[in-house]
Amino acid sequence: MNQMETTYKPRNIESKIYKMWEKGGYFTPPINYSKKPFVIIMPPPNANGILHIGHAVFVTIEDIMIRYHRMKGEPTLWLPGADHAGIMTQVVYEKELAKQGKTRFDLGRKEFYKQTYEFTMKNREIMENQLRRLGASCDWSGKKFTLESKISKAVYYTFKKMYNDGLIYRGERIINWCPRCKTALSDLEVKYENRSTKLTFINYPIEDSKDFITVATTRPETMLGDTAVAVNPEDKRYKNLLKKNIKIQLPLTNRLIPLVADERVEIEFGTGAVKVTPGHDPVDFEIGEQHQLPIIKIIDQGGKVTKEAGSDYAGLDVISCRKKVIEDLEKKGLLVKQEDYQHSVGSCERCQTIIEPLVSQQWFIRIKNLAEPAIKAVKQKKIKFIPDYFTKIYYNWMENIKDWCISRQIWWGHRIPAWYCECGEMIVDINSPKTCSKCKSSNLHQDSDTLDTWFSSGQWPFTVFSWPKKTEDYKYFYPTTVMETGWDILFFWVARMIMLGIYCTGKVPFKYVYLHGLVRDKDRQKMSKSKGNVIDPLGVVDLYGADALRMALVFGTSAGSDIIISEEKIIAHRRFANKIWNAARFILTNLSGDIDLLKIKREDLQFTKEDYWILSELNLTIEKIERAFQKFNFHQAAEEIYGFFWHKFCDKTIEDIKKRLRNGQNLQDKLTGKWILYHVLLVSLKLLHPFMPFLTEEIYQLLPAKPKKALIIEDWPK
RNA sequence: GGGCAAUUAGCUCAGUUGGUUAGAGCGCGUCGCUUACAUCGACGAGGUCGCAGGUUCAAGUCCUGCAUUGCCCACCA
């Protein structure tokens, strides 16, 4: 036996062990139809940067499950991949370009795509090696990327099918527009926060009268696009005016607009009268639809005021226009007052620019048709959420779901598979059509929009298995077993996977959804670079080892709740790693090579009371860990083996046997002691392996007698 | 406005079929170090389990109400 170092030095060991596993082919499961597989599709990390601590969380939790099930003898697949992460990657790469003083428009669509692709591939490789360093025992041989051609074809297949089924439509609707990214966003991609602003009260003169209607607004500049004023039909103040069918003189313009009645208007708020701008407000858009009001677009896609707003204002940005409108109203004596006001303002999730609601031509999914079966599947318990309370959150969202805008005006992503002919014909197909199906013209051009990233990642659990082809892999591994991810993407991703999974394959894509929380520091603060409280997972792996980090990430945490981590906690587990290492070192130096531990029979041993005690404690620990795994309580399992190993095995048994080996009366007693040490260590290594894979494998490899080639494929203790 | 959750030791958190002296890590105190342990061991201090009711032989655990905190969703002009 080699001389073991007196402390555990992860750096020397981890990469060697990982290579051994990879070379051994242990990560690739065999297809064995007599056995039910255990399958996790890894949430594909966005291939646009390096790993952060959140990635370490999913690696840890998923790898724990994977290693446990693999040791139980189940064909276990953990399939990795990478996500192109549409807008996010585009924003990141545009920042790279900005450093060179360039924009994407300087490069043009084709070149931009090419460069972003190269950038993504480079990051992807870095990221994959980082996952290896955390110990991820995933099947690299099957890795996928959302933009690779097979996956893209499957995504187009779904698009076409949904279009033919009438579930995808194209229409001119009001959407969330990011003036910086110059793209539409789905409702989920808009983040709201409270901001201080002014509520402006403006008098709108009534035609042929000296009276006014006073409206209150937070966006006075949009009045230039007003096409009505609305009041609640029950509002006594306005009932007479409504009857008279009056016209209102829109200030600063020469337009006359009607007064309409609409229940959406709250009597209590402001003056009870609302200016209606269907082109630039979602509620106003709905009011406009109902009352067939015209839409005037006074803000363009760059956030600038258009000619439609009048020559005095055209070309201004929104803020300047607001200032000028206020000044002009004041001059005319129509400005009543401005009050301080707090309300929530939406901004782009990726670049934080304030959202401009705009009317434009976009693609949408009629989502209710997909949501219904997705709700039903959960009600029928075909899918179970862990923790359970997410079931209600899921229902709450799914029952109030609205159509999903899936087109983006960005370049990085799957280009929408629709082609237009000059004759006005539109063709939706998987492959680029040669000629127009109506006029036979070959002059077709493809829709310039790309698909929302989540439309493709929503199909990830089956597109990775070459669906819609019914391959062996698809038949064997789909539906998958567990989807493990952060609860923050429950709606973005999990809900969409369930909807699209049922729609595309007729089956739920997974049976369990395990949702982990957000990582925070020991003061419960979100980790962010600006706060300087980030823990770089690779940095701590260098310092303390992957095993210590993994253990620190599961210990004392439970599904769904925030994960509190600090350097102190990681250090505590580095100490535990060292404890295991030294216990093993002590045991190994006492197991002389002349006895064949594997051949010893229990009947030949002379157990003491203490021996029976530790053996029964060991069995109890195995049972508790088993129960904890059944309930997805990984922290409990970790805490059980921690407590057992340190405070029972090390503190009691090893100390006891240490004395017996030194002063033991007879050989039989000493042999029994040695066997206990060996046996309990071996079983403990197995129980510890899902949590601390590197250290345990290294010790296993040093055992004088090992039943298998590697611990990773050992039999789980019963 | 609708919804979800949390409240347990100085700090950060576990405690999911209700059942013996409520646990861990870090921190704190005393002692020890005998050759596995840049440490470790032994012992210890510290909790009316947010508040008030209720169900029960038995409640941190179930029910009701209240308080405080956090989060999510929503068309707060």
Side-chain angles (χ1 to χ4, degrees), chain A residues 13-14 54 74 77 97 239 359 379 401 432 434 462 467 692:
Chain A
I13 288 162
E14 290 179 348
E74 300 164 30
L77 174 67
L97 286 178
K239 274 198 169 164
V359 173
K379 292 220 159 126
I401 201 163
S432 169
K434 297 266 183 309
F462 43 95
W467 179 90
M692 308 180 89

Side-chain angles (χ1 to χ4, degrees), chain A residues 38 62-74 76 625-630 634 686 689-690 712 714 716-717:
Chain A
F38 180 85
E62 290 170 33
D63 199 42
I64 287 170
M65 287 191 259
I66 289 293
R67 286 179 189 270
Y68 166 75
H69 285 277
R70 187 186 290 121
M71 288 174 82
K72 289 208 127 190
E74 300 164 30
T76 300
I625 290 174
E626 194 62 31
R627 273 202 298 272
F629 267 108
Q630 299 300 319
F634 309 119
K686 293 181 185 181
H689 184 256
I712 188 174
E714 260 287 3
W716 186 256

Side-chain angles (χ1 to χ4, degrees), chain A residues 627-651:
Chain A
R627 273 202 298 272
F629 267 108
Q630 299 300 319
K631 294 181 196 158
F632 293 85
N633 279 339
F634 309 119
H635 69 275
Q636 243 175 6
E639 285 160 30
E640 282 303 331
I641 184 60
Y642 178 99
F644 169 81
F645 191 86
W646 197 321
H647 301 299
K648 286 175 180 155
F649 185 48
C650 290
D651 291 352

Side-chain angles (χ1 to χ4, degrees), chain A residues 560-617:
Chain A
S561 43
D562 291 341
I563 297 161
I564 311 292
I565 185 122
S566 59
E567 196 153 343
E568 291 80 17
K569 196 172 172 189
I570 301 166
I571 291 170
H573 289 285
R574 193 256 320 253
R575 263 184 225 135
F576 180 49
N578 203 46
K579 184 79 186 174
I580 299 167
W581 180 259
N582 272 291
R585 190 160 72 97
F586 173 78
I587 292 167
L588 291 178
T589 52
N590 280 289
L591 295 179
S592 45
D594 53 350
I595 45 163
D596 191 343
L597 289 154
L598 289 176
K599 289 216 177 105
I600 293 173
K601 292 201 177 73
R602 280 197 185 205
E603 304 87 81
D604 302 334
L605 298 168
Q606 214 174 54
F607 291 128
T608 62
K609 207 171 66 191
E610 289 75 18
D611 294 338
Y612 282 121
W613 173 80
I614 193 69
L615 290 173
S616 95
E617 286 294 329

Side-chain angles (χ1 to χ4, degrees), chain A residues 250-452:
Chain A
L250 185 63
L252 313 181
T253 71
N254 297 317
R255 284 191 285 119
L256 288 177
I257 55 173
L259 180 70
V260 299
D262 197 289
E263 271 128 24
R264 274 165 280 231
V265 180
E266 273 182 54
I267 296 171
E268 310 302 326
F269 190 94
T271 59
V274 189
K275 58 188 273 312
V276 182
T277 323
H280 298 286
D281 183 280
V283 188
D284 294 6
F285 182 83
E286 282 177 26
I287 295 176
E289 264 190 331
Q290 191 167 329
H291 300 277
Q292 295 176 342
L293 301 172
I295 295 169
I296 301 175
K297 299 180 190 175
I298 59 133
I299 299 165
D300 70 15
Q301 303 192 331
K304 293 279 195 297
V305 177
T306 65
K307 282 181 192 154
E308 302 254 9
S311 53
D312 288 355
Y313 307 99
L316 294 175
D317 61 61
V318 170
I319 300 297
S320 316
C321 182
R322 182 176 302 174
K323 236 171 112 184
K324 186 161 168 53
V325 164
I326 301 271
E327 281 168 14
D328 293 350
L329 286 169
E330 203 161 16
K331 277 181 212 155
K332 299 210 167 183
L334 295 172
L335 183 71
V336 182
K337 59 175 174 178
Q338 287 198 291
E339 287 177 354
D340 287 333
Y341 187 63
Q342 280 257 329
H343 79 148
S344 66
V345 177
S347 57
C348 173
E349 178 195 31
R350 295 304 174 199
C351 75
Q352 283 78 47
T353 304
I354 291 181
I355 290 304
E356 196 60 64
L358 290 184
V359 173
S360 73
Q361 187 82 244
Q362 302 289 344
W363 291 88
F364 298 87
I365 291 184
R366 233 179 278 283
I367 203 78
K368 282 216 174 353
N369 306 49
L370 297 183
E372 262 173 51
I375 292 168
K376 213 170 120 194
V378 174
K379 292 220 159 126
Q380 292 171 339
K381 302 208 189 320
K382 287 181 184 162
I383 297 176
K384 199 173 171 301
F385 288 93
I386 296 129
D388 188 48
Y389 63 76
F390 280 109
T391 314
K392 287 185 197 166
I393 295 174
Y394 170 84
Y395 290 147
N396 190 249
W397 189 72
M398 289 294 255
E399 280 157 7
N400 299 299
I401 201 163
K402 288 170 79 178
D403 281 3
W404 174 15
C405 176
I406 53 166
S407 46
R408 299 288 177 276
Q409 287 66 51
I410 59 171
W411 293 346
W412 179 239
H414 300 101
R415 194 157 170 177
I416 288 185
W419 285 262
Y420 307 98
C421 177
E422 337 171 81
C423 75
E425 185 71 355
M426 179 176 78
I427 305 154
V428 170
D429 210 339
I430 297 165
N431 296 303
S432 169
K434 297 266 183 309
T435 57
C436 172
S437 47
K438 197 169 152 197
C439 74
K440 305 298 168 202
S441 161
S442 58
N443 192 8
L444 301 169
H445 68 275
Q446 188 173 2
D447 197 301
S448 59
D449 293 357
T450 49
L451 288 164
D452 182 1

